[in-house]
Amino acid sequence: MDLGIKGRWAIVCAASQGLGKGCAEALGGEGVNLVINARTATTLEQAAAELRSRFPGIEVRTVAGDVAEPAVREALLSACPQVDILVNNAGGPPPGDFRNWDREDWLKALDANMLTPIELIKAVVDGMAERGFGRVVNITSGAVKAPIDILGLSNGARSGLTGFIAGLARQQRLAGRNVTLNNLLPGAFDTARLQKTLQAASQVSGDLQATTQARRQAIPAARFGDAKEFGAYCAFLCSVHGGYITGQNLLIDGGAYPGTF
Ligand code: NAP
């Protein structure tokens, strides 16, 4: 299937590895020019070099820095000649007990996982609407639908973003101009983040292998997701075929969410 987005420009945040990188690879494979970001310049440049060598027909630009910082967002927007596609992503907030979190912890989580995507969206959607094409994909979490108690900062901040997107996506000045906004909700994907979570979870038993196996077996698909399949879904949402999908929360979790709806 031709996704019809060759030559478009995308900003993909937090994309030197994991799910963000999966999205950048899938978009690059469709001929989309990329501006990618992550905090660590060395690994970001490695990812960019890999993308350039795999997809020589596209341009790949990099902006190193924390996407939660206004100056980094400005640099991202300046590096992209025209934002047709925006993939919002950032690291997830740390786990813990809400009794130990203070206002600063909450502001940090809200900043990274709610306000940063909203600021970037604010900067790009009206231009997208004027041009009659725009795709925004926010990488959130399956925890938005089935909260994980130790991830309270994530549950809270991402739910705030989810509520905001639900309203914004339905504005006719956006949806009626072929601008879509959707959230992609990963379950357990085999990335560095998952490895860290599994290591933390196995600290009590001391058995990482058993913890990993138990987590895998709790998923109907009996495996962890691959960033490539996550990226493919993202690219489809960003394609010309995705114009009638907006305001949705789309789970990719191997059937882990147990509800009917
Ligand atoms: P990952 O493998 O750890 O990759 C995170 C990427 O984001 C790296 O490229 C990292 O590079 C970059 N990054 C992190 N914080 C950033 C920031 N503030 N500004 C710019 N770049 C930043 O993580 P992942 O598994 O792909 O997860 C991506 C998102 O999905 C996270 O929010 C995570 O909580 C969520 N999620 C993941 C899973 C899963 O199973 N993997 C499940 C549910 C939700 P630098 O460190 O160099 O910045």
Side-chain angles (χ1 to χ4, degrees):
M1 187 191 288
D2 178 3
L3 297 191
I5 46 178
K6 190 173 177 196
R8 297 266 181 205
W9 275 92
I11 292 177
V12 186
C13 304
S16 65
Q17 62 176 25
L19 304 180
K21 188 175 179 210
C23 294
E25 284 172 340
L27 290 168
E30 293 301 318
V32 175
N33 300 301
L34 300 166
V35 180
I36 59 169
N37 149 265
R39 289 165 304 181
T40 316
T42 45
T43 39
L44 180 64
E45 289 309 327
Q46 275 165 21
E50 215 181 286
L51 287 162
R52 288 183 194 111
S53 101
R54 283 186 60 196
F55 312 116
I58 65 165
E59 200 171 325
V60 181
R61 300 180 183 178
T62 56
V63 174
D66 186 337
V67 72
E69 287 176 14
V72 174
R73 291 197 294 274
E74 273 308 310
L76 271 170
L77 294 164
S78 305
C80 194
Q82 169 179 311
V83 187
D84 302 307
I85 294 166
L86 169 65
V87 180
N88 279 312
N89 187 27
D97 184 327
F98 93 102
R99 292 163 189 83
N100 300 323
W101 296 329
D102 58 22
R103 183 177 166 75
E104 279 313 304
D105 295 316
W106 275 107
L107 290 179
K108 216 169 149 193
L110 288 168
D111 222 11
N113 298 104
M114 178 183 174
L115 302 177
T116 290
I118 291 174
E119 287 293 330
L120 282 170
I121 288 166
K122 184 172 151 192
V124 302
V125 281
D126 291 334
M128 289 172 167
E130 265 167 41
R131 296 188 298 273
F133 180 91
R135 301 285 184 261
V136 176
V137 174
N138 303 303
I139 300 179
T140 65
S141 173
V144 169
K145 277 184 81 96
I148 301 166
D149 82 339
I150 56 162
L151 293 178
L153 289 168
S154 171
N155 299 338
R158 296 191 202 276
S159 294
L161 177 66
T162 304
F164 170 76
I165 294 294
L168 184 69
R170 288 167 175 86
Q171 283 189 359
Q172 209 167 52
R173 61 193 280 197
L174 298 179
R177 294 284 305 150
N178 194 20
V179 177
T180 69
L181 298 100
N182 292 290
N183 304 314
L184 269 185
L185 283 53
F189 276 78
D190 195 3
T191 66
R193 161 113 181 154
L194 182 72
Q195 289 310 321
K196 266 189 235 156
T197 317
L198 289 171
Q199 265 157 17
S202 69
Q203 262 168 8
V204 178
S205 70
D207 190 342
L208 177 60
Q209 215 182 345
T211 306
T212 304
Q213 182 61 5
R215 183 78 196 274
R216 201 183 278 123
Q217 282 313 316
I219 303 166
R223 66 175 178 88
F224 297 132
D226 185 312
K228 279 193 176 55
E229 54 198 344
F230 190 88
Y233 196 173
C234 174
F236 177 78
L237 283 177
C238 296
S239 77
V240 291
H241 312 296
Y244 210 50
I245 307 170
T246 197
Q248 301 304 304
N249 291 293
L250 304 159
L251 269 172
I252 319 181
D253 68 350
Y257 174 68
T260 306
F261 302 107

